Amino acid sequence: MTDLSTNAKVQHGEAQFGDYFALLKPRVMTLVVFTAFVGLLAAPTPVHPFIGFCAILFIAVGGGASGALNMWWDADIDAVMKRTARRPIPSGRVAPGEAMAIGLALSAFSCVFLGLATNWLAGGLLAFTIFFYVVIYTMWLKRLTPQNIVIGGAAGAFPPMIGWAAATGSVSVEAVLMFCLTFMWTPPHFWALALFMRSDYDDAGVPMLTVTHGRRATRVHILVYTILLAALAIGTGFTSVGGPVYLAVAVVLNALFLKGAWAIFRRDEAASEADNFRVERKFFKLSLLYLFAHFGAILIEAGLDRFGMGGWA
């Protein structure tokens, strides 16, 4: 989920606890925690509540560690982007070296303790996720290719798989489906943001699709990915992690998402700029609800299944 801030006024001063907490990207962490929690509870293997709590805690810490390392590496471009200029490092409240040390320490802590609390497959997946987000996406893809969001989206898609692995010690088709749901959601979510925040990416020299190929191509990409996402999301309703409740949610939300993507596709730049990208902003807000609602429906189906009422049985 996007860590969105639009106030560009930079303030220097002594770091407070909130500044160090902000390094962990708490808004993004919310999505990490929730999808990992759903993966943990949707798994067929019961987990002791204390073990489950520890697993989610360490996954959250790992997600926060990724955020800190991302901010450390991206401090130069964060300083020139309006939505990120007030982050702790570009604002001067936290030193880059501090952010790097915190990120590395929390990365090691979270992976080792997740492995000890659950199993080493889960710990290894968390370590790979941190590596993928920091090295593959942040250090390499983000500044190299307009496909940065497409490939880099895998990092945000791993948490439900980690939660599933923490419960079962394995990765199954169901875990892969939850991964794919987040993976396919990421491009239209971020590209919608890029449509009305293009100047930020222009200023920072980040090769977002809107910068390299223009807004027209981005609108086409949003529509294509939304169609593919809708097929995947609705199809998941007929699998073991789906069911009537999930399918009802998926049908309604994907109809709205497709409608929004079509509206974006039909827009020209003059109309968008005239109303300050109202349609694009509306689609972006819907994308936030979209993923939470789908995983919430999977969680409901898992709860019903515990009482023998879930799925299509």
Side-chain angles (χ1 to χ4, degrees):
M1 185 175 62
T2 310
D3 184 18
L4 185 58
S5 174
T6 56
N7 190 337
K9 186 177 179 180
V10 176
Q11 297 178 345
H12 294 262
E14 186 177 349
Q16 305 295 323
F17 173 80
D19 297 316
Y20 292 110
F21 184 65
L23 280 176
L24 310 183
K25 293 191 174 181
R27 293 182 183 179
V28 178
M29 192 191 299
T30 301
L31 180 62
V32 169
V33 169
F34 183 64
T35 57
F37 180 71
V38 173
L40 185 79
L41 292 190
T45 306
V47 177
H48 189 281
F50 180 71
I51 299 298
F53 170 79
C54 289
I56 297 303
L57 174 64
F58 298 138
I59 293 171
V61 172
S66 298
L69 291 171
N70 170 268
M71 286 198 192
W72 158 68
W73 186 263
D74 277 350
D76 59 331
I77 62 175
D78 282 349
V80 300
M81 295 176 68
K82 292 180 180 179
R83 70 182 184 90
T84 58
R86 292 196 66 194
R87 284 176 173 177
I89 299 176
S91 68
R93 299 191 304 274
V94 175
E98 287 184 288
M100 181 184 68
I102 290 170
L104 291 174
L106 291 182
S107 295
F109 170 83
S110 60
C111 296
V112 170
F113 277 86
L114 179 62
L116 291 172
T118 58
N119 57 75
W120 291 109
L121 175 61
L125 281 173
L126 180 59
F128 178 75
T129 301
I130 296 172
F131 171 81
F132 194 97
Y133 182 69
V134 176
V135 178
I136 303 300
Y137 169 67
T138 302
M139 295 183 177
W140 182 35
L141 294 174
K142 186 172 183 178
R143 307 188 194 208
L144 178 69
T145 171
Q147 295 300 308
N148 47 19
I149 289 302
V150 178
I151 306 170
F158 277 114
M161 184 180 290
I162 300 171
W164 185 283
T168 65
S170 64
V171 173
S172 68
V173 173
E174 294 86 350
V176 173
L177 281 171
M178 288 187 281
F179 169 92
C180 291
L181 187 62
T182 309
F183 181 78
M184 291 299 296
W185 163 87
T186 303
H189 166 73
F190 274 98
W191 284 332
L193 171 68
L195 284 172
F196 60 85
M197 297 295 291
R198 175 180 169 173
S199 61
D200 262 10
Y201 296 110
D202 275 325
D203 294 341
V206 176
M208 189 64 77
L209 191 64
T210 49
V211 176
T212 61
H213 291 69
R215 288 196 176 108
R216 182 69 252 162
T218 303
R219 295 175 189 279
V220 174
H221 278 70
I222 288 175
L223 179 61
V224 171
Y225 270 84
T226 300
I227 292 171
L228 296 175
L229 172 63
L232 171 68
I234 293 174
T236 300
F238 299 98
T239 69
S240 59
V241 294
V245 173
Y246 172 88
L247 186 59
V249 170
V251 168
V252 172
L253 275 176
N254 282 280
L256 293 173
F257 217 47
L258 286 166
K259 180 182 177 182
W262 178 250
I264 286 177
F265 172 75
R266 294 185 63 189
R267 299 263 281 178
D268 59 37
E269 298 315 307
S272 297
E273 292 177 4
D275 63 10
N276 194 26
F277 296 91
R278 180 180 58 84
V279 172
E280 292 80 0
R281 292 176 187 274
K282 183 178 179 180
F283 182 87
F284 174 75
K285 291 178 180 178
L286 176 62
S287 72
L288 299 175
L289 171 64
Y290 180 98
L291 200 65
F292 276 104
H294 278 76
F295 274 87
I298 292 174
L299 186 61
I300 291 172
E301 291 288 359
L304 292 173
D305 189 58
R306 295 285 192 271
F307 296 97
M309 298 183 294
W312 297 100

